[in-house]
Amino acid sequence: MSVTKRTLLFSLAGVAAVGAVVAGGLAASAASAAPEKPTLEHGSAHYTAPSAHAAGSFTYTVDVSDDSGIRGLKVVAWPASSKLKPTSADLRSVESATCKSTSDDTSRCTYTFKVTQKEAAEVAKGTWYVSALATAKDGDTTFVPKAATFDITG
């Protein structure tokens, strides 16, 4: 994604920004006869503001599991002040995290990008949410509208 496009997405209130941070666990509730849906566990994220000497960064990491294995994870971060309510359909068109298998049914997925001083100056300060869409190899999906919450200060 180009810096200009990411800046626009990351900085305008009311527009979703690609990113993520601190995630909690999610348990999929499925009927005993229904196939299990993907679960997200052990999520964590880290936002580092840029300095005069180095770019900042944003990283979101989470373990995603499904009995069929994991195809991928899409992540979007958005400012609470925007009043957005991303949907699973919205997340289908955002960038993907990189997922590496840690077992037959679990992958560790990580999304990261650099943040310039200009981008950091333009983002909405305050509370941000992270939405996530996990897709299993069998096609099952799990959408978590508020998988994480974090703050951007300064």
Side-chain angles (χ1 to χ4, degrees), residues 35-151:
E36 290 187 30
K37 293 193 175 247
T39 59
L40 286 72
E41 296 180 306
H42 312 289
S44 67
H46 187 71
Y47 172 80
T48 302
S51 69
H53 305 291
S57 64
F58 170 79
T59 302
Y60 173 74
T61 303
V62 65
D63 293 331
V64 185
S65 300
D66 185 81
D67 56 357
S68 70
I70 300 303
R71 182 182 306 155
L73 180 74
K74 302 278 191 159
V75 179
V76 67
W78 46 281
S81 62
S82 72
K83 307 294 185 207
L84 288 175
K85 294 192 186 292
T87 66
S88 60
D90 296 330
L91 267 70
R92 294 184 193 282
S93 62
V94 301
E95 291 180 342
S96 296
T98 300
C99 296
K100 294 185 179 179
S101 180
T102 58
S103 72
D104 289 343
D105 62 356
T106 303
S107 292
R108 169 132 322 148
C109 298
T110 302
Y111 180 77
T112 190
F113 67 87
K114 299 288 183 194
V115 179
T116 67
Q117 284 186 325
K118 182 179 178 185
E119 290 169 331
E122 295 174 351
V123 299
K125 306 303 186 239
T127 301
W128 283 62
Y129 298 116
V130 176
S131 297
L133 176 65
T135 303
K137 287 184 178 177
D138 64 7
D140 285 343
T141 61
T142 296
F143 173 63
V144 185
K146 291 184 181 174
T149 301
F150 64 101
D151 291 312

